[in-house]
């Protein structure tokens, strides 16, 4: 959906997109994904949601690793290969504060091994979601409010704010999300979903950033635009 899921998140992945969406989870939910990229880069993602009280707890685990990177010294002499990896864990809770109005918060920590240096950090995500009309959903999120430390220095976190909405028109869902990073220009994310039957969803999405087409290239923009 072009990365425009925050306003309508209502499953286990809400711990990532918008923790307020956990307040919409009424049954136990889980999701597992594996991404195998070029150069043996791989990502592993696990999300879970457990209803409790007026909302649900959420858990998120993410691992990304790249083995077999060639090492070259300052004299341009190749050395042995090495690997880099990073992992993050999130825990959160979302609840309904009124009928069709939800809030949520998620705490997350990460560790990154870059071979020549390593870093760690923590952050908070906050979210709001509502459904003022049966066919309309609205949402807002603040992500990555925290710190990161590498060696003896601190690095700024990629703090961002997202605001958007979604329309449910029978078997068609449309969603729009505007992301405003603190260290980059705003980007627009739009997507549409068609469900001919409950077991099948056909999705189309497009996003304008955070990198523009000149940075990513045309082929990358096409890859980001279509998700089915």
């Amino acid at each position: 959906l072009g990365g425009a899921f925050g306003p309508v998140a209502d499953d286990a992945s809400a711990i990532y997109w918008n923790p307020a969406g956990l307040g919409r989870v009424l049954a136990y939910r889980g999701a597992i994904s594996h991404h195998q990229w070029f150069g043996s880069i791989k990502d592993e993602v696990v999300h879970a949601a457990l209803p409790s009280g007026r909302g649900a707890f959420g858990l998120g685990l993410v691992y990304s690793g790249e083995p077999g990177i060639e090492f070259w010294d300052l004299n341009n002499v190749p050395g042995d290969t090495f690997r880099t990896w990073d992992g993050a864990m999130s825990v959160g809770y979302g609840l309904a504060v009124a009928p069709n109005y939800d809030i949520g918060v998620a705490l997350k920590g990460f560790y990154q091994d870059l071979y020549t240096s390593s870093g760690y950090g923590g952050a908070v995500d906050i979210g709001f979601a509502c459904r003022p009309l049966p066919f309309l959903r609205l949402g807002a999120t603040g992500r990555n409010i925290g710190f990161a430390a590498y060696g003896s220095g601190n690095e700024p976190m990629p703090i961002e704010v997202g605001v958007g909405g979604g329309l449910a028109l029978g078997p068609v869902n449309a969603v729009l999300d505007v992301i405003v990073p603190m260290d980059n220009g705003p980007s627009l994310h739009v997507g549409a979903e068609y469900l001919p039957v409950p077991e099948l969803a056909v999705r189309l999405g497009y996003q304008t950033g955070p990198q523009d087409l000149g940075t990513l290239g045309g082929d990358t923009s096409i890859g980001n635009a279509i998700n089915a």
Side-chain angles (χ1 to χ4, degrees), residues 49-198:
L50 300 83
S52 177
R54 294 164 54 188
F57 287 99
L59 172 66
L61 299 173
V62 178
Y63 168 85
S64 180
E66 181 179 5
I69 302 174
E70 293 184 354
F71 179 81
W72 295 72
D73 64 17
L74 296 178
N75 296 318
N76 206 32
V77 176
D80 200 1
T81 60
F82 64 95
R83 63 187 290 264
T84 64
W85 66 276
D86 58 80
M89 182 176 71
S90 304
V91 293
Y93 187 75
L95 76 158
V97 293
N100 297 319
Y101 287 82
D102 306 282
I103 60 173
V105 61
L107 306 176
K108 55 188 179 183
F110 75 88
Y111 179 82
Q112 186 174 46
D113 185 347
L114 299 175
Y115 183 65
T116 56
S117 65
S118 60
Y120 64 92
V124 177
D125 293 352
I126 56 176
F128 167 80
C130 67
R131 190 172 64 182
L133 298 171
F135 59 87
L136 176 64
R137 286 186 173 183
L138 302 174
T141 56
R143 303 189 187 99
N144 306 321
I145 306 169
F147 74 97
Y150 287 81
S152 58
N154 293 327
E155 296 291 336
M157 289 288 286
I159 300 173
E160 62 183 25
V161 175
V163 180
L167 293 174
L169 306 172
V172 177
N173 297 309
V175 61
L176 178 148
D177 203 8
V178 178
I179 306 298
V180 182
M182 298 297 102
D183 60 352
N184 206 338
S187 59
L188 180 67
H189 303 250
V190 294
E193 176 186 62
Y194 173 62
L195 293 89
V197 294

Side-chain angles (χ1 to χ4, degrees), residues 184-212:
N184 206 338
S187 59
L188 180 67
H189 303 250
V190 294
E193 176 186 62
Y194 173 62
L195 293 89
V197 294
E199 296 78 17
L200 175 65
V202 180
R203 294 171 173 170
L204 178 69
Y206 188 78
Q207 63 188 61
T208 63
Q211 289 83 14
D212 58 25

